[in-house]
Amino acid sequence: MKTAAKTLTPKLVNKLWLALIVLVVMIGMSYVGITNYFASKHNQETIQRLNADVANHVIAEKFQNASPFLQDGSVNTSLFGDLMHDMMAVNQGIEVYLLNETGEILYSVVLDHSENTPAKNVSLPPIHSFIENKGEKYILGDDPRLPGEEKIFSAAPYSVDGRNGFVYIVLAGKKFQEVSETLMGQYFAKLGLGAIVLTSIFAALIGLLAIWFLTKNLRVITNTVRCFNEGDLSARIANPDASDISIFANSFNEMADTITGNIDKMKSIDLLRRDLIANVSHDLRTPLAILKGYIETLQIKKDTLSENEKQEYLQITHDNVDKLSKLINQLFEYSKLEAEQVTPVKEPFSITELSHDLIVKFKVIAAQKQIELQIDNPKENHIVFADVSLVERALQNLIENAIKYTEPKGKVRLSLQKKGKHVEINITDTGTGIPLNEQAFIFDRYKQVDKSAKKQGSGLGLAIVKKILELHDTTITVLSKPKEGSSFIFKLPAYQV
Ligand code: ADP
C-alpha cells in the first residue's frame, strides 16, 4: 500500500505528459498540414483568378494577324515559336496547348520536353465550366504532361477558318511546380519548426498548470492515504464531494471509517473479554475458597466432628461444586455464543408446550420456596419460528432467576400473547425487583468492574439470554420496581400456517 501510494502520482504525471506530447505533435502536424493545404489552394486560386484571361489574350494577340493553322491544315509552328519566345521572357511556369474541339492536343508550347510523354487529350468538362464561369471559379483541369494530375489553367475558345477548338494554358506548369515545391518546402520547414517550438512552449506551460490542477486532488488523497497508512487513523479527505475524484475521496473516507470502526469494535470486544475473565475468575475464586476451607476442616477435624456437622459440611461442598460446574457451563455456553459459533436452527414449534414443560420442571423447586408458578391462558396454543433448544435455554434462565429472586409465598407467572406477527413472552415475578441504576447493566453484568455491586451468581445467565435473542433478531426488555417485582418481555416471530 505504501509503495502504491508513493508511485501513483509520478506514474500518472508521466502518462499525462506523454498524452500532452502526443497531442502537441498531432496538433503541430495537423496545423502544418492544414496551413499547407489552404496556403497552396489560396496561392493557386489567386494565380488562376489573375491569369484567367491569359488564354483570351493569347488568342487576341497571336491569332489576330496570323492563323494558327497553315493552308495545308497543319499547325503554324512559327506562330507558336513566337509564343515560346514571349513565354521564355515573361513566364516560364506556363504551358500552352492548342486543342481541337474534341480536346485533342494539336500542338504544345512547353519549355522543357525532357519529361515523360504527354497525354494526347485534355478532358473538356473543366474547360467548359471555366469558360462558362469566366474564370471566376476555382477549377482544376488535366495536366497533359503529368497524366492523372490536375492543375490550374486558363482556357478560351477559338474559331479560325472554320476550325474550332481551345487554347488551353496550364498556369502552374512543371517549372512552376518545381519552384513552388522548393519554396513551400523551405517555408513549411520554417513554419513547422516555428509552430512546434511555439506550441511546445505554450503546451509545456499549459501542461504544467493543467497537470498541477489535475493532480492537486490526487495529491491530497495520496497524502491522506499515506498519513492513514502511517498510523494517523483520524486522517480523512476534507470536503470529499468537492474533489474532482469525489467517488475515490468518498470511498477512501468510508473505508477509513469502517477500518477505525472495526478497530474500535475489536478494542471493545477485547476489553469485554478482559472484564469477563477478571469477573469470572473472581466468581470462581469464592466457591473454590469455600470448598478448600470445608475440605480442610473435614480432613483436620474428621475425628472431632459430629455426624450431623460432617453431613452439613459435605452438603456445602456439594453445593459449591454445583455452583462451580454451573458457572463453567455458562462460561462455555457464553463464549460459544460470543464467538458466533452457534447457528440457530429455526423451525416451527409450540412455545405453549415448551412453557408447560418448563413449568412442570421448575414446579418442584418453586414449591420448595413456596412460590406459586403458573402459566397464563394455558389453553391457547402459540406456534413460533425459532430454535427450540436455544429458546428453552433462555426461558429456563429467566424462570430460574424469577424463582431465585422471589421471596417465599411470592408468584412467578409466564404469559404468552399473540401480538401481530409475533408472540410476546412475559415472565413476571413478585420478587425483589432490580434497582433502576442496575437495570441497564443486568444483561452484561460481567462488564461491571465494581465487584462489590455483585450479588450471588455468575452474572452470565441474562447475558446468554440476550445473545440467544440477538441470534433471533429480537431484544429483551425489563420492567422492574424494587420490592415489587420484575417482568422480562421478549417477542418471537409467530409461525403463519
Ligand atoms: P446471576 O443471576 O447468576 O447473577 P444473571 O445474568 O442471571 O446472573 O442475572 C444478572 C443479575 O440481574 C442478577 O444478579 C440480579 O441482580 C438481576 N436479576 C436477574 N433476574 C432478576 C429477577 N427476576 N429479579 C430481580 N433481579 C434479577
Side-chain angles (χ1 to χ4, degrees), residues 265-278:
K265 214 189 236 170
M266 275 157 66
K267 274 186 188 158
S268 87
I269 288 176
D270 192 49
L271 198 72
L272 282 187
R273 289 229 169 91
R274 266 187 276 158
D275 283 352
L276 178 69
I277 291 168

Side-chain angles (χ1 to χ4, degrees), residues 284-337:
L284 284 172
R285 226 175 287 135
T286 320
L288 272 175
I290 297 170
L291 267 179
K292 192 169 178 262
Y294 278 96
I295 291 170
E296 275 173 6
T297 317
L298 276 169
Q299 278 175 333
I300 297 163
K301 299 189 180 168
K302 62 173 181 259
D303 300 328
T304 54
L305 285 173
S306 69
E307 202 49 39
N308 275 350
E309 282 172 324
K310 279 185 194 163
Q311 276 311 317
E312 191 193 332
Y313 288 6
L314 277 173
Q315 188 56 49
I316 292 170
T317 51
H318 184 267
D319 291 348
N320 278 284
V321 167
D322 265 359
K323 214 181 265 178
L324 270 177
S325 100
K326 190 183 164 203
L327 177 59
I328 289 163
N329 282 340
Q330 278 191 333
L331 198 57
F332 182 63
E333 208 177 333
Y334 181 77
S335 63
K336 259 177 42 182
L337 285 164

Side-chain angles (χ1 to χ4, degrees), residues 401 404-405 429 432 434 442 445 455-459 461-462 486:
N401 275 352
K404 188 157 81 179
Y405 298 106
D429 63 57
T432 57
I434 307 159
I442 52 169
R445 219 178 127 246
K455 299 178 188 152
Q456 63 181 124
S458 64
L462 286 183
S486 318

